Amino acid sequence: MLSETKLTLLQQFTKNASKEEVIWANGYFSGFLDAKEWLGGTSEIVEKNSTAQVAVKPLIVYGTETGNSKKVASGLLASFKKNKIQAKAIEVSQYDADKLQKENVVLFIMSTQGEGEFPQNAVSFYEKLKSSTVHLNQLSYAVLGLGDSSYPLFCNAGILLDEVLAEKGAKRLLPLVKADVDFTETVSIWESDLQKAFQNLGSNVTNEVKPTPATASSQKKNYIGKISHKVVLNDIGSNKETYHIEIESDEAISYEPGDALGIIPKNKIEEIQAIAAYFNENNYSDLEDKNIRGLSKKSLEAFSKLFKIEITEEKANLLDVIQKYQPKKVKLEELIALLLPISPRLYSISSSSEAHDGQVHLTVNLNTFSVNGEIKKGLASEFLAELSQHSDVEFYIHKNQNFRLPSEDTDIIMIGPGTGIAPFRSFLAERDVRGAEGKNWLFFGEQHFVHDFYYQTEIQEWLTTGVLTKLDTAFSRDQEQKIYVQDRIREKGKEFNNWLENGASIYICGQKNPMSQDVENAIVAVIAKERNVSEAEAKQILEALENQGKYQKDVY
C-alpha cells in the first residue's frame, strides 16, 4: 500500500509522536479523506479550503476550579489562531453576562465541582444569567462540560449552563459535549466539529440536543485489593496523623506516576442507625451509600424545606442537623430522596508500579476539624485510617494525563508540602528504577522536622545515590517565624530560575488554598526578579510554561 520510503517516514513519526500528536494526525487524515470523497478526490480544492479564513470571531468563556478549563481554552485559542480564526478567551468571572446580548458566537468551557456545582468563579455569572429577562436570539453557542463520570452529577454545571442559554433564546451551534477526566480526545473532536460548524454557520445551528457518546476514559475498571501494610508516618508528639497505606491485588493494577486512586468510602453503621432511629425506622440499608457528611448549602436548603425549619449552617453533617434542630418526623424515604450517593474521593498515588512490584501506595492524612467545639473527622480519611491489615478495599484508578513525568532527560522541580509529596515519591521511584538522566529538585514542607518528615529515609537514600539532585525543606513550626516552601523558593530564586531557563518542568501538589497560590506567587516573583521583567510579564512566562505542559498542578 505504501512505498518503502513513505512507510519508513510513517513509522518514524508514530515512534516519536506524543499521544496528542497522534490524535491530531488521526483527525487530520480522517478529515482529508472525508473531504476528498465529498469533492470527488480533488485534493487541490481541499488544500485551498483548509487555509481559508473563517469570518466567525468566537469568544471563549471558561469557568474553572483546578485549571483544566483554562488549559482547554488556551489550547483552543492557539489552535484557532493557527487556523486563521480570530478568537478571544476570557475567564467567566471577568465577563459580564449582560454582554451576551452583543455577542454572535460564544464557546463555553465549564467544569463541575462538588455536588454538581459551578466552579466558584462562575457562580455569579450563572445566577445573573438565570435571573435575567435577557433575549439572546442573535447568539449561537456551544458548551463543553468538564467533569468526572465517577461522580453522580457528571458535568452538571455544563448541563445547567446549556439549558439556561437555550431558555434565553440562544441557538446551539453544537449539542452539549461532556468530557471525562481524560478529555484530550473529546476536546480534539469538539474543536474539529466547531471548525466545520463555523464554515456553515447559519445552516448548521440546532436546538436539538443529541446524546454525547461515552468516551473510553469514562469506563473505569474497579479492583478489589487488600491492605498489605499500614503505618503512621508521624512520630510521637506530632499534631498530624498521616498514614502510609499499601494495597495489593491478585489482578494486575494498571497505573502511571501522576495517577490517583479513587475510593468510595462507607458510612459508619452507628451514624446511619442513629438517623434511621430518629425517624422510627429500623431498616437503615438505604442510607449506607448516601452522602450524609458535609452537606452543602444547597442540600441543607432542601432539608430546611422538608423539615419546615431554618437551617443556618453553610455546611453540616445530617446527624448533627437532626440532633441540633430536632426536626419533625418525616418518612425516611422522603429524607433519602434528597440525599446524593457518596462521591468518590481521590488520593494521589505515592508508588511506582515498576518500583513497587505492582502495589499501589497512598499517603493519607486523617482529616480532623472542630465543629462547635466537637472534633470531627473526614469520611474518606477516617474510612481508610480504620481499615485493618488484610481487609478488602474496592477502588479504581483515576487517570491524570495532566500530571505526567516529562521525557527522562528533562529536569523537574517538585513542590509538595504535606501529603502533596505523594506523587513525587512516585516520580522519584519511577525515575530511579528507569535510570532517568534528568535532574530532580524537591521542595517539601510540614510542621516539624522531628515528627513530620515523611519518607525521610527514602529521600535521604535518593540524595545519596544522586536520584534526588536537590532537596529544600520548610518545617514551619521549628522556629519562631513560620517558614513555608514558597519562602524556600524565593531564597533559591537565582538557581530556581536557572533550572527553568534550562528547560526544567515544574510540578505542584497539595492544598489549593492557600498553598498553591502562594507558591505560584513566589515563582512569579522569582521570574520577575531574576529576568528583570514586570510581574505581568512574569505571569505570562509562567502561563506559557503551563500551556506547554511544563507547569503542572495537582491541587485540591
Side-chain angles (χ1 to χ4, degrees):
M1 296 292 290
L2 289 176
S3 68
E4 187 174 341
T5 302
K6 289 180 179 179
L7 180 60
T8 301
L9 288 171
L10 183 61
Q11 288 172 336
Q12 288 175 346
F13 169 75
T14 54
K15 180 180 179 182
N16 297 315
S18 67
K19 178 182 176 182
E20 289 74 15
E21 289 169 337
V22 172
I23 291 171
W24 183 91
N26 179 55
Y28 174 82
F29 286 129
S30 296
F32 184 78
L33 283 172
D34 289 345
K36 284 195 74 173
E37 290 171 8
W38 181 257
L39 296 167
T42 55
S43 59
E44 184 180 346
I45 299 175
V46 174
E47 190 71 27
K48 288 179 182 177
N49 283 347
S50 67
T51 58
Q53 187 165 347
V54 176
V56 175
K57 297 180 180 179
L59 174 68
I60 304 167
V61 178
Y62 61 90
T64 186
E65 194 79 27
T66 61
N68 282 338
S69 292
K70 180 182 178 181
K71 185 174 182 178
V72 171
S74 298
L76 195 64
L77 185 64
S79 181
F80 280 168
K81 287 183 178 178
K82 286 180 182 177
N83 286 280
K84 300 183 180 179
I85 298 172
Q86 296 181 36
K88 294 187 295 183
I90 187 169
E91 184 188 358
V92 66
S93 63
Q94 304 297 314
Y95 184 75
D96 189 341
D98 290 338
K99 292 184 179 179
L100 287 174
Q101 298 175 84
K102 300 178 181 179
E103 304 288 357
N104 293 316
V105 177
V106 181
L107 311 177
F108 292 93
I109 304 168
M110 192 62 59
S111 63
T112 295
Q113 309 301 317
E115 295 180 4
E117 298 155 354
F118 281 85
Q120 196 59 42
N121 66 350
V123 172
S124 59
F125 172 86
Y126 172 73
E127 290 178 348
K128 183 176 182 179
L129 178 60
K130 188 170 178 61
S131 61
S132 73
T133 56
V134 68
H135 296 287
L136 302 176
N137 302 56
Q138 87 299 336
L139 178 66
S140 295
Y141 75 94
V143 177
L144 173 70
L146 299 184
D148 184 340
S149 60
S150 301
Y151 287 75
L153 297 174
F154 175 51
C155 289
N156 190 57
I159 294 169
L160 293 175
L161 179 59
D162 180 76
E163 289 174 350
V164 75
L165 287 164
E167 287 169 9
K168 303 299 180 184
K171 298 174 285 293
R172 291 185 180 94
L173 188 62
L174 290 175
L176 167 70
V177 171
K178 303 176 190 177
D180 208 344
V181 289
D182 190 4
F183 51 74
T184 305
E185 186 173 358
T186 305
V187 170
S188 179
I189 294 169
W190 190 59
E191 180 191 335
S192 177
D193 289 345
L194 282 171
Q195 296 202 32
K196 291 174 186 175
F198 292 160
Q199 295 283 358
N200 302 297
L201 191 61
S203 61
N204 195 41
V205 175
T206 177
N207 264 330
E208 177 188 359
V209 180
K210 301 174 185 176
T212 304
T215 61
S217 59
S218 66
Q219 309 302 314
K220 296 182 174 67
K221 177 179 174 56
N222 287 334
Y223 296 90
I224 300 293
K226 284 189 182 297
I227 305 295
S228 59
H229 183 62
K230 186 177 75 171
V231 63
V232 175
L233 293 171
N234 311 90
D235 210 337
I236 297 171
S238 174
N239 298 317
K240 303 285 187 78
E241 193 173 324
T242 306
Y243 290 84
H244 171 77
I245 300 172
E246 299 182 2
I247 301 171
E248 57 186 28
S249 175
D250 292 335
E251 191 174 0
I253 306 169
S254 176
Y255 70 90
E256 298 175 63
D259 287 342
L261 182 141
I263 189 166
I264 300 179
K266 296 178 182 178
N267 285 320
K268 295 176 78 71
I269 297 298
E270 56 268 30
E271 196 169 348
I272 56 178
Q273 276 180 332
I275 293 171
Y278 180 85
F279 296 100
N280 302 319
E281 286 283 351
N282 294 320
N283 184 0
Y284 53 79
S285 59
D286 289 338
L287 285 167
E288 289 178 352
D289 63 349
K290 296 296 184 182
N291 182 42
I292 59 173
R293 298 264 196 106
L295 298 179
S296 68
K297 183 179 179 181
K298 182 179 177 182
S299 292
L300 292 173
E301 286 172 352
F303 282 111
S304 291
K305 292 178 182 177
L306 176 65
F307 296 144
K308 293 183 170 54
I309 59 174
E310 183 182 358
I311 299 173
T312 58
E313 285 81 0
E314 295 279 322
K315 195 172 188 178
N317 296 344
L318 180 57
L319 184 57
D320 291 341
V321 169
I322 291 169
Q323 290 173 341
K324 177 180 177 180
Y325 292 95
Q326 297 289 302
K328 69 169 187 172
K329 303 294 174 71
V330 298
K331 291 182 179 178
L332 189 60
E333 53 262 34
E334 291 181 83
L335 178 139
I336 290 171
L338 298 179
L339 294 170
L340 293 170
I342 296 174
S343 297
R345 271 48 166 197
L346 299 177
Y347 290 92
S348 299
I349 293 173
S350 55
S351 56
S352 156
S353 184
E354 290 276 338
H356 296 106
D357 299 322
Q359 290 184 333
V360 181
H361 297 176
L362 303 179
T363 310
V364 179
N365 177 56
L366 179 60
N367 181 25
T368 59
F369 50 95
S370 176
V371 178
N372 298 321
E374 184 181 353
I375 298 298
K376 301 286 184 181
K377 297 177 181 178
L379 176 63
S381 61
E382 184 181 23
F383 172 74
L384 286 169
E386 292 186 351
L387 285 175
S388 59
Q389 195 156 324
H390 306 305
S391 58
D392 289 343
V393 59
E394 186 174 354
F395 63 93
Y396 67 91
I397 299 299
H398 173 97
K399 295 290 183 182
N400 188 357
Q401 302 297 345
N402 300 303
F403 203 74
R404 287 282 185 255
L405 277 167
S407 60
E408 293 188 357
D409 59 351
T410 299
D411 300 340
I412 61 174
I413 300 172
M414 302 163 285
I415 306 159
T419 56
I421 196 174
F424 303 137
R425 178 177 183 261
S426 172
F427 280 17
L428 288 166
E430 180 82 4
R431 286 199 139 191
D432 186 11
V433 77
R434 290 188 177 276
E437 295 179 1
K439 295 188 294 183
N440 307 299
W441 187 353
L442 174 65
F443 287 86
F444 172 71
E446 248 299 353
Q447 290 189 355
H448 298 285
F449 171 84
V450 173
H451 305 308
D452 308 310
F453 195 164
Y454 308 151
Y455 304 114
Q456 180 181 1
T457 302
E458 286 181 323
I459 288 171
Q460 288 175 334
E461 185 176 337
W462 280 323
L463 275 171
T464 301
T465 59
V467 173
L468 185 56
T469 314
K470 282 185 66 65
L471 170 68
D472 279 283
T473 58
F475 294 99
S476 60
R477 308 299 198 275
D478 278 350
Q479 58 284 311
E480 186 175 344
Q481 185 175 352
K482 294 178 181 177
I483 296 175
Y484 299 102
V485 287
Q486 58 265 28
D487 299 313
R488 297 303 190 202
I489 290 170
R490 285 187 169 93
E491 288 173 7
K492 300 296 175 71
K494 186 175 184 63
E495 188 171 5
F496 192 99
N497 180 63
N498 286 341
W499 276 54
L500 294 187
E501 290 189 320
N502 288 327
S505 294
I506 315 171
Y507 297 85
I508 300 176
C509 183
Q511 291 289 333
K512 181 185 178 188
N513 291 315
M515 184 278 294
S516 69
Q517 191 57 57
D518 290 343
V519 167
E520 186 164 300
N521 291 340
I523 295 171
V524 168
V526 164
I527 292 172
K529 178 183 177 182
E530 298 301 329
R531 303 188 189 185
N532 195 26
V533 298
S534 68
E535 182 179 319
E537 289 173 307
K539 285 181 178 178
Q540 290 177 349
I541 291 169
L542 190 58
E543 189 170 316
L545 289 174
E546 187 171 8
N547 292 336
Q548 296 162 21
K550 294 187 73 62
Y551 174 40
Q552 300 183 27
K553 293 177 283 189
D554 180 10
V555 295
Y556 35 82

